Amino acid sequence: MIETVLIVLEVIVCIALIGAVLLQSGKGGGMGSTFGGSDGAFFGKGNDLDSLMARATIYLGAAFAVITMALAKLNA
């Protein structure tokens, strides 16, 4: 019973973690700026959403690690 709940929670956290990573804006120049892409001067550098997504990534990553370890302990 507890294993099923943890697996479902793991999948939900995993999907949320993928979404949080994909919603972050790129920090480096990358290939886009090499070929004349915007360097952030027009749109500004960073905003509250970037810091929120960075914080969410940290918390979701920690939750993913804890749930994974709990599942490993249950299956050992």
Side-chain angles (χ1 to χ4, degrees):
M1 172 67 180
I2 186 99
E3 186 176 353
T4 305
V5 171
L6 284 176
I7 290 173
V8 170
L9 189 61
E10 176 108 10
V11 170
I12 292 169
V13 168
C14 180
I15 292 170
L17 181 60
I18 291 169
V21 169
L22 290 177
L23 286 175
Q24 291 182 24
S25 64
K27 302 285 190 252
M31 291 297 285
S33 65
T34 304
F35 297 109
S38 173
D39 64 348
F42 184 71
F43 295 109
K45 295 197 185 244
N47 55 20
D48 292 335
L49 183 61
D50 286 336
S51 61
L52 176 69
M53 286 295 110
R55 205 171 313 128
T57 301
I58 292 169
Y59 291 137
L60 288 168
F64 184 79
V66 168
I67 295 169
T68 302
M69 285 188 263
L71 281 169
K73 186 71 173 171
L74 282 175
N75 288 327

